[in-house]
C-alpha cells in the first residue's frame, strides 16, 4: 500500500515530443467531428410502412418519392393479365447524416422485389459493364499532373432514366394504393430493384452522351471523352447508380 501511494504521488514524466517527419492528421490539426449521442438515440429509421406514415418527416419523404415517380411516368395502372404474376415492392428508409451526426434529410425509396422476377418473362439480359479501378487512377493521375479541375456529379433517381424492354407488372406501392386495388403497375422505366435496372440505365447513358459529342472509349465502356479545339472533357461513369466524374480542361 505504501508503495502504491508513493508511486501515485510521483509526478508523471513529460510526454516525449514527436519528431518523426511523417505528417499526420493530428499534427495538421485535423480532428474527426464529435458525434452527438443524443441524435443517435432520438432518430431511428422506421421498420414498417405503417410506422413511417405516422411520422411527418418520413411521410413527406414518401410523398416526394411518389411524386417523382409520377412525374417520370414510371408506370401505368392496368388489370393484371391472367397468365402473368405481379412482383412485389417495398419502401426502403434511410436517414442521410451530416459529418457531425445530425440529420441531413430523410430518404424514402420505392424498390421492386427483383428476386420475384422470372427470366424470360420479367427480364432477359442483366449484364452491365463494371467500373475499372485502373481507369480511375489514370484519370486522377492525369488531373493531378496537368492541374485539371475535378468535378463530381450526382444524378438524382438515376435508374428512372432507363427504359424497359420487357413487360413487368408490379403491385401498387403500399400507402399509395388507389380505390381499385385489383389494378397493378405496368412499369415503363427501370425501377430500383429490378434485375435489369443497371443495364437499362447504362444503355440509356451510352446512347445519350454521343448526342452531345462524347465519344466512348474502346478500352473502357465507362469512359467518355468530349474534345474540341479549345476544350477537353473526360467523363467517367464511376458507379452503376448515380456517380459521374468529370475532368474538364480548357
Amino acid at each position: 500500500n505504501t508503495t502504491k501511494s508513493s508511486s501515485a504521488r510521483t509526478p508523471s514524466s513529460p510526454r516525449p515530443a514527436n519528431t518523426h517527419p511523417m505528417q499526420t492528421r493530428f499534427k495538421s490539426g485535423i480532428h474527426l467531428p464529435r458525434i452527438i449521442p443524443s441524435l443517435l438515440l432520438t432518430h431511428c429509421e422506421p421498420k414498417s410502412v405503417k410506422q413511417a406514415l405516422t411520422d411527418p418527416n418520413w411521410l413527406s419523404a414518401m410523398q416526394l418519392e411518389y411524386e417523382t415517380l409520377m412525374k417520370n411516368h414510371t408506370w401505368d395502372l392496368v388489370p393484371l393479365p391472367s397468365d402473368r404474376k405481379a412482383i412485389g415492392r417495398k419502401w426502403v428508409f434511410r436517414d442521410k447524416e451530416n459529418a457531425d451526426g445530425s440529420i441531413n434529410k430523410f430518404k424514402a425509396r420505392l424498390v421492386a422485389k427483383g428476386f420475384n422476377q422470372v427470366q424470360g418473362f420479367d427480364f432477359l439480359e442483366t449484364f452491365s459493364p463494371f467500373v475499372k479501378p485502373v481507369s480511375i487512377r489514370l484519370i486522377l493521375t492525369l488531373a493531378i499532373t496537368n492541374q485539371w479541375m475535378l468535378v463530381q456529379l450526382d444524378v438524382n433517381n438515376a435508374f428512372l432514366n432507363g427504359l424497359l424492354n420487357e413487360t413487368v407488372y408490379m403491385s401498387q406501392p403500399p400507402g399509395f394504393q388507389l380505390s381499385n386495388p385489383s389494378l397493378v403497375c405496368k412499369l415503363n422505366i427501370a425501377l430500383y430493384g429490378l434485375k435489369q435496372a443497371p443495364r437499362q440505365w447504362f444503355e440509356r447513358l451510352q446512347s445519350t452522351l454521343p448526342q452531345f459529342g462524347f465519344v466512348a472509349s474502346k478500352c473502357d465502356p465507362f469512359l467518355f471523352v468530349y474534345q474540341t479545339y479549345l476544350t477537353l472533357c473526360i467523363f467517367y461513369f464511376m458507379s452503376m447508380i448515380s456517380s459521374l466524374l468529370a475532368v474538364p480542361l480548357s
Side-chain angles (χ1 to χ4, degrees):
N1 294 338
T2 306
T3 306
K4 291 182 179 181
S5 60
S6 60
S7 61
R9 293 192 298 267
T10 303
S12 59
S13 57
R15 190 173 184 177
N18 189 348
T19 58
H20 196 279
M22 179 183 292
Q23 188 69 19
T24 62
R25 288 183 296 179
F26 181 79
K27 290 182 179 179
S28 302
I30 302 175
H31 306 284
L32 293 176
R34 296 184 59 185
I35 298 178
I36 306 174
S38 59
L39 294 176
L40 301 178
L41 297 176
T42 56
H43 296 281
C44 60
E45 298 166 354
K47 303 299 182 182
S48 64
V49 176
K50 183 178 180 180
Q51 181 182 358
L53 292 174
T54 59
D55 190 314
N57 294 320
W58 290 111
L59 177 59
S60 176
M62 295 173 67
Q63 291 174 340
L64 179 61
E65 173 73 3
Y66 184 78
E67 291 173 0
T68 303
L69 295 174
M70 294 296 98
K71 184 184 300 183
N72 286 275
H73 193 206
T74 308
W75 61 67
D76 293 315
L77 289 177
V78 297
L80 180 65
S82 57
D83 59 338
R84 298 297 299 272
K85 184 178 180 180
I87 63 175
R89 71 287 177 259
K90 67 175 295 186
W91 285 98
V92 178
F93 305 100
R94 292 290 183 272
D95 47 8
K96 303 296 184 178
E97 299 181 354
N98 297 314
D100 59 353
S102 59
I103 301 299
N104 184 310
K105 69 174 181 177
F106 298 88
K107 180 66 177 180
R109 172 151 290 166
L110 182 68
V111 298
K113 294 184 178 180
F115 55 84
N116 291 333
Q117 291 182 260
V118 180
Q119 188 174 10
F121 290 90
D122 300 320
F123 71 96
L124 298 175
E125 298 291 337
T126 61
F127 172 78
S128 182
F130 194 73
V131 59
K132 292 184 178 181
V134 63
S135 299
I136 298 179
R137 291 195 294 266
L138 177 61
I139 294 176
L140 294 178
T141 302
L142 290 174
I144 295 174
T145 303
N146 297 279
Q147 296 182 352
W148 294 353
M149 181 178 63
L150 294 175
V151 181
Q152 183 178 0
L153 307 178
D154 185 65
V155 182
N156 292 328
N157 299 297
F159 280 4
L160 298 185
N161 295 284
L163 302 178
L164 279 179
N165 299 325
E166 303 85 8
T167 302
V168 182
Y169 298 95
M170 185 188 73
S171 303
Q172 295 188 43
F176 294 88
Q177 294 95 338
L178 296 184
S179 57
N180 190 354
S182 63
L183 299 179
V184 297
C185 302
K186 180 183 178 183
L187 298 181
N188 300 317
I189 57 181
L191 191 66
Y192 285 88
L194 293 180
K195 292 181 180 294
Q196 66 268 45
R199 178 185 180 88
Q200 299 307 124
W201 157 229
F202 180 75
E203 286 186 354
R204 185 68 181 277
L205 184 75
Q206 196 176 33
S207 62
T208 302
L209 287 181
Q211 299 177 10
F212 295 92
F214 286 88
V215 179
S217 171
K218 296 181 180 180
C219 300
D220 190 342
F222 279 85
L223 183 63
F224 298 88
V225 180
Y226 176 82
Q227 186 173 5
T228 62
Y229 180 73
L230 297 176
T231 305
L232 170 67
C233 184
I234 302 176
F235 265 23
Y236 194 76
F237 189 36
M238 292 183 59
S239 169
M240 283 311 303
I241 298 179
S242 59
S243 295
L244 289 167
L245 180 66
V247 186
L249 172 66
S250 57

